[in-house]
Amino acid sequence: QVKLVESGGGLVQPGGSLKLSCAASGFPVDYTNIGWFRQAPGKEREGVACIGRGTEDITHYRESVKGRSTISRDKAKNTVYLQIDNLKTEDTAVYYCATGHFCAPAILSATYTYWGQGTQVTVSS
């Protein structure tokens, strides 16, 4: 049974950092593409970052987090991480991880299948 559980969200001040975790079970995390998405109140869900399956660790990021975000994978822990630095108020959202058919520059939620329950990130002073 495929299961994804996100954790690591919380309240952080602007300029701070968070490292979100996506613990997977039911499949090896390097056998599929994994994406991080977020949804703010009243807005559509948007792709944040993805990491491709296999050994090449291909990654893609949405423009607004490039340079201050890192997606990574720990096969031993079967977990995918999303580190975001220099957090901004506009990063406030519920963050989700999901398994997908593609990891491409356009990180489209429609191409992702299994989803976790989400973790809240609030950036506020």
Side-chain angles (χ1 to χ4, degrees):
Q1 181 182 359
V2 173
K3 188 175 181 182
L4 300 168
V5 179
E6 302 94 335
S7 62
L11 174 64
V12 64
Q13 292 187 341
S17 298
L18 275 179
K19 188 173 186 177
L20 307 180
S21 299
C22 172
S25 57
F27 68 98
V29 289
D30 58 332
Y31 276 31
T32 188
N33 307 296
I34 302 287
W36 279 98
F37 297 80
R38 65 187 182 189
Q39 188 166 19
K43 294 188 177 182
E44 292 187 356
R45 188 170 297 186
E46 60 186 24
V48 179
C50 64
I51 185 165
R53 62 185 177 187
T55 59
E56 294 183 359
D57 284 352
I58 292 172
T59 59
H60 294 287
Y61 301 88
R62 75 177 294 107
E63 197 62 37
S64 63
V65 302
K66 274 182 183 177
R68 60 186 184 95
S69 182
T70 303
I71 187 170
S72 61
R73 177 167 53 205
D74 185 329
K75 289 182 281 187
K77 295 183 178 180
N78 216 39
T79 299
V80 173
Y81 303 98
L82 179 68
Q83 169 99 24
I84 308 179
D85 301 316
N86 190 23
L87 281 159
K88 307 175 181 182
T89 55
E90 52 264 42
D91 293 319
T92 295
V94 178
Y95 283 71
Y96 302 87
C97 63
T99 65
H101 297 291
F102 307 105
C103 176
I107 308 165
L108 302 175
S109 60
T111 64
Y112 284 73
T113 307
Y114 294 99
W115 293 78
Q117 83 291 344
T119 185
Q120 176 71 48
V121 172
T122 302
V123 184
S124 175
S125 55

